[in-house]
Amino acid sequence: MKISTINSLHCDAGWRNFSFLKITTDDGIVGYSEYNQSYGSMGVSDVIDQLAPIIIGSNPLEHDVIFARLYATTRQAPGGINSQAIAAIENALLDIKGKALGVPVYQLLGGAMRERLRLYWSHCGTYRMHESTAGYLGKKPMTSLDDVRALGEEVKTRGFTGLKCNMYVFDEQSYTHGWRRSFPDRNAERPLIRSVYNQIEAFKEGTGGDVDILLDLNFNFNTEGYIRMIRALTPLELFWCELDIYNPEALAYIRNRTSTPIASCESLYGIRDFRLYFQKQAMDVAIIDVPWNGIWQSYKIAAIADAHEVNVAPHNFYGHLSTMMSAHFCAALPNFRIMEIDIDDVPWKDDLVTCPPEIVDGHLIMPDRPGWGCDIDEDAVRAHPPK
């Protein structure tokens, strides 16, 4: 068996595009993966095109050999777009290997330790804060804390036991999220702290206190700002506070001076990046991005986390194929904590895959089909051309 062709597929996903990689072997087995070419990762497809000639004709079952070859080719510029391109290739190769052997990918990682994965509704409310993104969902934009309470009630009614939100500000019909307010102001002042406190309190009221609430602060603060915000929210007993920082000592400093569990590291690449964070005991939960790292490399990172008594959760705000990739990863882990999934999305999201994830009572049910357990419906992808 040899790799014969490598192609990228893209489609409209409302406020973003979804990107997929298709690798075909000379005996007709097709492997798919999902990768990110939005939110700062523009150019991944171009790098894949540059790397493809290196592996055409290779045995797709030797995925770790292929990874080592591609890593050696790009190691003078590690991480970033290069790593994401290699990860997309690795993930598609694991799909091929599972199909060739007739087993789910989680069997290639040692087997499934669980058949049900607890989910949390991620970006809960984020896409409803702007008229443009809310329109894709067929929802009215959120404009008040009453809307937050109503959304909390919806989360509970739909059976989810956890939700994660960003920081919302209603006073001036503006909102803060992700990297959009990272510069120049990275301080946590009283008005913002008060607004976030009221927001989390409204979610708790809407859920009746029966749903765990996670808060994502992203890259928005410096060390002092993170500590101020987390300490102020302590009475609300968050499931975790998530933050991004490229300094393991600073992250450990924050963790040691607050009592709320800390989740971090979704923007890191490979065992070398994660190693220092584990050595510093910088987080309670290590977040690993399977589309950015590749599932085989992600499993290696998770093993190191386990040796440091650290739980693991996937970074998964993409489409259904990414959800299945992350699910196979989580199913095989002894130190799995909880899994991220975006529930609010475009109405044609289910059409893009042959078998959408099965969600029952806020849990994803693992399939026993070979590979990822679902393929890309290329006709549906072509029906929604990318922006």
Side-chain angles (χ1 to χ4, degrees), residues 2 17 19 27 56 65 76 129 165 177 198 260 263 272-273 324 336 355 359 361 377:
K2 296 182 180 179
N17 290 325
S19 297
D27 56 358
I56 294 292
V65 175
Q76 287 182 308
M129 284 298 295
C165 58
H177 165 239
N198 292 340
T260 301
R272 293 166 180 82
D273 276 8
M324 296 313 301
F336 165 70
C355 298
I359 299 174
D361 296 329
D377 186 324

Side-chain angles (χ1 to χ4, degrees), residues 197-214:
Y197 191 102
N198 292 340
Q199 169 200 332
I200 301 299
E201 198 169 46
F203 266 128
K204 290 180 75 70
E205 292 169 357
T207 61
D210 296 327
V211 174
D212 285 320
I213 298 178
L214 301 68

Side-chain angles (χ1 to χ4, degrees), residues 312-323:
V312 166
H315 182 224
N316 175 53
F317 76 110
Y318 311 104
H320 284 329
L321 184 58
S322 171
T323 291

Side-chain angles (χ1 to χ4, degrees), residues 292-312:
W292 280 27
N293 285 279
I295 192 169
W296 197 261
Q297 309 308 315
S298 295
Y299 188 79
K300 294 178 181 180
I301 297 167
I304 298 175
D306 195 28
H308 287 83
E309 307 297 339
V310 175
N311 277 332
V312 166

Side-chain angles (χ1 to χ4, degrees), residues 128-186:
R128 303 187 188 190
M129 284 298 295
H130 282 308
E131 186 172 353
S132 58
T133 51
Y136 283 107
L137 306 173
K139 305 288 185 180
K140 293 182 179 180
M142 296 200 308
T143 59
S144 69
L145 291 176
D146 285 338
D147 293 330
V148 175
R149 295 184 186 94
L151 179 54
E153 185 177 357
E154 179 183 343
V155 171
K156 180 180 178 180
T157 300
R158 294 181 65 174
F160 289 90
T161 60
L163 71 85
K164 187 174 78 177
C165 58
N166 301 99
M167 300 183 295
Y168 311 140
V169 179
F170 293 101
D171 297 359
E172 301 174 359
Q173 293 300 296
S174 62
Y175 97 116
T176 62
H177 165 239
W179 298 267
R180 299 185 183 185
R181 69 174 302 275
S182 297
F183 299 102
D185 182 10
R186 299 178 62 205

